[in-house]
Amino acid sequence: MLEYKAPVKDIQFILHDVLNIMDHYKSLPGTEEVDRDLVDAITSECAKFCEQVLSPLYQVGDEEGCKLEDGKVTTPTGFKEAYHQFVEAGWQGLSHPTEYGGQGLPLSLNAVKLELTATANWPWAMYPGLSVGAMNTLVLHGSEEQKQTYLTKLIDGSWSGTMCLTEPHCGTDLGQVKTRAELNADGSYSITGTKIFISAGDHDFTDNIVHIVLARTPDAPKGTKGISLFIVPKHLPAEDDSTGEFNNVVCSGLEHKMGIKASTTCVMNFEGAKGFLVGPENKGLNCMFTFMNSARIGTGAQGYTAAELSFQGALKYAKERMSMRSLSGKKRPNQVADFLIDHPDVRRMLLTQKAIAEGGRAMTYYTSKLADFLVVATTEEEREKVDDQLGLLTPIVKGFITELGLEATNLGVQIYGGHGYIREWGMEQIVRDTRIATLYEGTTGIQALDLLGRKILLGRAKTLKVFTNEIRDFAKQYNGLGTSQPIRGMAKQLTKINRHWWWLSLRVMAASMKDRDAIGSASVDYLMFSGYVFMAYMWLQMAVAAQKALDEKSGDEDFYKAKIQTAEFYYARLLPRAEAHARSMIAPASTLMNMKDEDFSLTA
């Protein structure tokens, strides 16, 4: 059975040694009083809850799944009770405004909470996670009345939230949305339509569920320009703000899935349900992107948290399981065989998992730190600048980390050998649960098109220029002779591949001028290349921070040495993959597009 141990020391290393989070908080309006004791207390207390309450329910949830009977959804044993413990401790409103009942702490601290809950039990973490996206949408786009009615209940956890985008006939192409919104005499709207794949669409955690729904008014323009956003509660709030009458929001089915079986994935029917417009009419997609970007960063976190959980299980097994003798001679002469961890190929797999988990954590925390500036921005110009930075990094975090996270979970099964394929060990469950991460909130291909098409080509690579300059300036500090050899070597590699990233961007932009298919042809390879560079930037920062701690003789020497050694592994064994993506992305689109459709068919 899997046992999760929260990597508190690794989390604190990223927050304090790498990101200097305390200096960051002191620079933000409203968070000057946040000190290290508070940050570390939040981390350790959440870690205890996740280890003691959520982790033991992970495999239970997979065995039992969710059930829909007589119109009511029930979740697995212990899930509802764990949620009540979670909200009673105040975790749901950690990073939301105090005027609506939250604790007002920075969004980047929410990333710590997300990691801990997600690694311990991803299917459970989806329930409060969906609410956070709904809360963020209302904070930025809801009216004061909507905030007082709905946001307060979402923050205290007595109500939960969802996002309702996908319909049976359309997934990512939201321009095809058919759900109708017809204006009522009282200013509300009558919402009619069907949404599918709605995570946490119905459950037994709360009395009421607040759905954030995309729909189209009768005279709306066609396509994405005619989509509006609505609050549609399962139960209409009563006059005293308690749960009122049923609002004709019906869960008509639960999907039977490959993984995340303890998370409800619902077919939701809105049968003339009363809804309330959020933001301007026909601007719903703009407002929904607040929700979607929150969800995309959270989904990216699923990649590295799955890698962490799989690594923990694989490492324990590799240290206990004996198999054959080491090629370089007996390592355990008093045993019948050496341990798995004594074999180079097993170490390759373990180090790959470790590098992905720790690199993904750094990438996600770095991005979440940027999101703090979005909240405190005082002008539209400031907000747009941060939004552009997040817009560049979010598809990389979501697409790249989930792809590598899935790889890491498969390596976990491989390390166990045949036992990894058996359910009781839990390793195959992590693979099944993680497979969805590359799909929902936009597949890897969609993230890649967003990155290359919107952020690079349409944005003329302006934001990329800012980020690559930041990487260049950081690496330049450690290229000289005064730096230790491992770090100097990594800095030189990063400088070179960062320059290559910019050159490749220009080359793909030029190719797209002649052939628009060049964008789709290059996009996924471009995203993966970008991810490897971003993670290399994070690993150099971690190596530098670790070397500084060693030089100052502060903390655990072995811990910091391991960081530098893992960074060296990443640069030697994983970063070279980027060059294969570079060669592939500049191959002509004709290698994909020239074959006729009928030639894809099997012939007798």
Side-chain angles (χ1 to χ4, degrees), residues 192-210:
T192 303
T194 298
K195 300 288 185 177
I196 64 170
F197 301 160
I198 308 306
S199 299
D202 205 71
H203 51 75
D204 54 5
F205 287 13
T206 59
D207 293 332
N208 202 8
I209 301 173
V210 180

Side-chain angles (χ1 to χ4, degrees), residues 94-285:
L94 187 72
S95 298
H96 286 86
T98 54
E99 57 265 40
Y100 303 108
Q103 297 182 47
L105 294 171
L107 282 177
S108 49
L109 270 181
N110 202 66
V112 176
K113 179 189 75 176
L114 171 63
E115 169 179 343
L116 293 166
T117 55
T119 318
N121 193 328
W122 175 262
W124 181 93
M126 291 182 68
Y127 293 96
L130 268 295
S131 291
V132 168
M135 289 149 63
N136 291 345
T137 301
L138 290 177
V139 166
L140 290 179
H141 304 293
S143 67
E144 184 58 31
E145 181 183 1
Q146 289 170 344
K147 291 175 184 177
Q148 293 293 345
T149 302
Y150 298 100
L151 183 58
T152 53
K153 296 289 189 180
L154 290 167
I155 285 175
D156 71 23
S158 56
W159 294 355
S160 63
T162 75
M163 57 192 295
C164 298
L165 288 73
T166 305
E167 298 184 2
H169 58 280
C170 72
T172 305
D173 185 3
L174 295 174
Q176 297 185 51
V177 162
K178 292 181 179 178
T179 297
R180 301 192 313 278
E182 298 178 346
L183 185 63
N184 296 323
D186 63 359
S188 66
Y189 289 78
S190 179
I191 310 296
T192 303
T194 298
K195 300 288 185 177
I196 64 170
F197 301 160
I198 308 306
S199 299
D202 205 71
H203 51 75
D204 54 5
F205 287 13
T206 59
D207 293 332
N208 202 8
I209 301 173
V210 180
H211 300 283
I212 307 294
V213 182
L214 288 181
R216 197 182 293 279
T217 54
D219 298 323
K222 293 182 180 180
T224 56
K225 293 182 179 179
I227 297 175
S228 300
L229 190 66
F230 299 88
I231 297 170
V232 187
K234 179 179 178 181
H235 293 270
L236 292 168
E239 299 225 350
D240 61 359
D241 283 337
S242 64
T243 302
E245 64 178 287
F246 182 63
N247 192 28
N248 297 323
V249 178
V250 178
C251 174
S252 60
L254 295 180
E255 304 292 354
H256 301 283
K257 301 168 295 187
M258 174 180 177
I260 58 169
K261 295 181 179 181
S263 171
T264 57
T265 304
C266 304
V267 178
M268 301 299 303
N269 292 328
F270 297 89
E271 301 172 352
K274 184 172 282 192
F276 306 92
L277 184 67
V278 178
E281 187 175 346
N282 299 329
K283 298 294 183 181
L285 206 55

Side-chain angles (χ1 to χ4, degrees), residues 48 50 103 166 187 223 234 260 281 308 315 321 331 340 501 514 566 593:
K48 289 177 188 175
C50 294
Q103 297 182 47
T166 305
K234 179 179 178 181
I260 58 169
E281 187 175 346
E308 173 68 38
L315 179 62
R321 180 75 171 187
K331 296 295 187 291
L340 286 175
W501 189 10
K514 299 176 182 178
T566 309
M593 305 307 297

